[in-house]
Amino acid sequence: QVQLIESGGGLVQAGGSLRLSCAASGRTFNKYTMGWFRQAPGKGREFVGYIFWSDRTTFYADSVKGRFTISRDDAKNTVYLQMNSLEPEDTAVYYCAASQVNYCVGLGCYDNWGQGTQVTVSS
């Protein structure tokens, strides 16, 4: 069974940085797409970006492109979301998710989710 555990959230000032981690277990993930999503208060869950495990292809939402970077560490079976130049609008609960659909951007193709980690950006 796939298990995803996020960590690294917290409170940061605007312009600051945070790195979120997603520790994955229960599968061999080399054919998975690992996505990051976020959900702000009162809003729906939105796509942030993904990394396709086997070839390291990444893709980002326009709202975070150039500020956020997704990477992976094979030895630790962990995916990272490096967030720079954070803005108050980035405040949300951030979720890691795994999909067996290659290069997946839609919520519906992710069937394994972490519990989420809170990121709060103060102005």
Side-chain angles (χ1 to χ4, degrees):
Q1 183 173 347
V2 173
Q3 186 175 22
L4 305 172
I5 301 176
E6 301 100 333
S7 61
L11 173 64
V12 64
Q13 287 189 329
S17 298
L18 278 176
R19 189 178 77 159
L20 306 183
S21 300
C22 172
S25 61
R27 287 283 189 279
T28 301
F29 289 94
N30 62 337
K31 293 186 178 180
Y32 274 71
T33 302
M34 304 299 293
W36 285 96
F37 291 79
R38 66 186 182 184
Q39 188 164 15
K43 295 188 177 181
R45 196 168 295 189
E46 67 171 357
F47 172 78
V48 173
Y50 70 63
I51 185 166
F52 187 56
W53 197 286
S54 63
D55 64 8
R56 300 180 186 259
T57 297
T58 56
F59 180 78
Y60 302 93
D62 287 344
S63 58
V64 306
K65 201 174 296 182
R67 301 187 298 123
F68 291 10
T69 303
I70 300 173
S71 61
R72 63 166 174 82
D73 182 328
D74 285 349
K76 297 182 179 179
N77 235 29
T78 297
V79 175
Y80 301 100
L81 177 65
Q82 177 67 44
M83 305 185 293
N84 299 328
S85 302
L86 282 162
E87 304 167 351
E89 294 73 24
D90 296 315
T91 295
V93 177
Y94 283 72
Y95 297 90
C96 172
S99 171
Q100 297 182 69
V101 176
N102 295 357
Y103 314 115
C104 174
V105 299
L107 277 169
C109 51
Y110 286 86
D111 46 15
N112 296 282
W113 292 83
Q115 82 288 353
T117 185
Q118 176 71 47
V119 171
T120 302
V121 184
S122 63
S123 57

Coordinates of all heavy atoms in Angstrom, one line a residue, residues 1 12 33 37-38 51 72 88 92-93 111 118:
Q1 N 0.8 -1.2 0.0 CA 0.0 0.0 0.0 C 0.9 1.2 0.0 O 1.8 1.3 0.8 CB -0.9 0.0 1.2 CG -1.9 1.2 1.3 CD -2.8 1.1 2.4 OE1 -3.0 0.0 3.0 NE2 -3.5 2.1 2.7
V12 N 6.3 31.5 7.3 CA 7.4 32.2 6.7 C 7.0 33.6 6.2 O 5.8 33.7 5.9 CB 8.0 31.4 5.5 CG1 7.0 31.2 4.4 CG2 9.3 32.0 5.0
T33 N 3.9 9.2 -11.4 CA 4.0 10.7 -11.4 C 3.7 11.1 -10.0 O 2.7 10.7 -9.4 CB 2.9 11.3 -12.4 OG1 3.1 10.8 -13.7 CG2 3.0 12.8 -12.4
F37 N 0.0 19.4 -4.8 CA -1.3 20.1 -4.9 C -1.4 21.0 -3.6 O -0.6 20.8 -2.6 CB -2.5 19.2 -4.9 CG -2.6 18.4 -6.2 CD1 -1.8 17.3 -6.4 CD2 -3.5 18.8 -7.2 CE1 -1.9 16.6 -7.6 CE2 -3.6 18.1 -8.4 CZ -2.8 17.0 -8.6
R38 N -2.2 22.0 -3.7 CA -2.5 22.8 -2.5 C -3.9 23.3 -2.4 O -4.6 23.3 -3.4 CB -1.6 24.1 -2.5 CG -1.8 25.1 -3.6 CD -0.8 26.2 -3.7 NE -1.1 27.2 -4.7 CZ -0.3 28.2 -4.9 NH1 0.9 28.3 -4.3 NH2 -0.6 29.0 -5.9
I51 N 6.6 15.7 -10.8 CA 7.8 15.1 -11.3 C 7.5 13.7 -11.7 O 6.8 12.9 -11.0 CB 9.0 15.2 -10.3 CG1 10.2 14.7 -11.0 CG2 8.7 14.5 -9.0 CD1 11.5 15.0 -10.2
R72 N 13.7 14.9 -6.7 CA 13.5 13.6 -6.0 C 14.9 13.1 -5.6 O 15.9 13.4 -6.3 CB 12.8 12.6 -6.9 CG 13.5 12.2 -8.2 CD 12.9 11.0 -8.8 NE 13.4 10.6 -10.1 CZ 14.6 10.0 -10.2 NH1 15.3 9.6 -9.2 NH2 15.0 9.7 -11.5
P88 N 2.0 35.8 0.1 CA 0.8 35.4 0.9 C -0.2 34.5 0.2 O -0.8 33.7 0.8 CB 0.2 36.8 1.3 CG 1.4 37.7 1.3 CD 2.3 37.2 0.1
A92 N -1.5 27.8 2.1 CA -2.4 26.7 1.8 C -1.9 25.5 2.5 O -0.8 25.5 3.1 CB -2.5 26.4 0.3
V93 N -2.7 24.4 2.5 CA -2.3 23.1 2.9 C -1.7 22.5 1.6 O -2.4 22.5 0.6 CB -3.4 22.3 3.5 CG1 -2.9 20.9 3.8 CG2 -3.9 22.9 4.8
D111 N -4.4 8.7 -7.1 CA -5.2 7.9 -6.2 C -4.6 7.6 -4.8 O -5.1 6.9 -4.0 CB -5.6 6.6 -6.9 CG -4.5 5.9 -7.6 OD1 -3.3 6.3 -7.3 OD2 -4.7 5.0 -8.4
Q118 N 0.8 22.3 6.4 CA 0.3 23.7 6.3 C 1.5 24.6 6.0 O 2.6 24.6 6.6 CB -0.3 24.2 7.6 CG -0.7 25.6 7.7 CD -1.9 25.9 6.8 OE1 -2.9 25.2 6.8 NE2 -1.8 27.0 6.0

